[in-house]
Amino acid sequence: AVEIKPKCPVQPSETRFTTSFGSFYTGQHRLSDGARRGQVFYNFTAGLDHTTGDRTSSDFRNKDTSVAAGYDFSEHWKTSLQGRYG
């Protein structure tokens, strides 16, 4: 099993958009936004992967989203709520 954990932002605020393309209409696109205000943080990530593929019926399309929000009580005591789709 693979466990994917959304990262907790360490900067006050950060937004990123990345995109890449390849042959056979292959693409990967990601949007992420996160912020930390004192002890409270949130993170949102969404992505899209797609290709038409080299062979017949090898099309692929995947959408994914993850969200996280949390509160740091201290350096050792932290809580968060995380969710993922896709």
Side-chain angles (χ1 to χ4, degrees):
V2 175
E3 182 178 1
I4 299 174
K5 293 184 178 182
K7 70 175 188 170
C8 297
V10 293
Q11 300 177 10
S13 179
E14 180 180 26
T15 301
R16 286 185 175 191
F17 176 73
T18 60
T19 188
S20 61
F21 292 98
S23 56
F24 304 107
Y25 189 60
T26 300
Q28 295 180 329
H29 317 288
R30 298 275 177 274
L31 172 66
S32 66
D33 182 58
R36 175 176 288 279
R37 304 280 189 261
Q39 296 166 296
V40 177
F41 72 88
Y42 78 90
N43 190 52
F44 167 80
T45 305
L48 171 65
D49 302 309
H50 60 83
T51 185
T52 57
D54 185 25
R55 297 179 299 258
T56 305
S57 299
S58 61
D59 293 4
F60 172 78
R61 185 174 181 88
N62 182 56
K63 299 176 188 175
D64 61 87
T65 304
S66 67
V67 293
Y71 183 83
D72 298 344
F73 293 101
S74 70
E75 183 181 342
H76 303 288
W77 290 92
K78 303 173 185 208
T79 185
S80 67
L81 178 62
Q82 302 173 358
R84 186 171 194 281
Y85 171 79

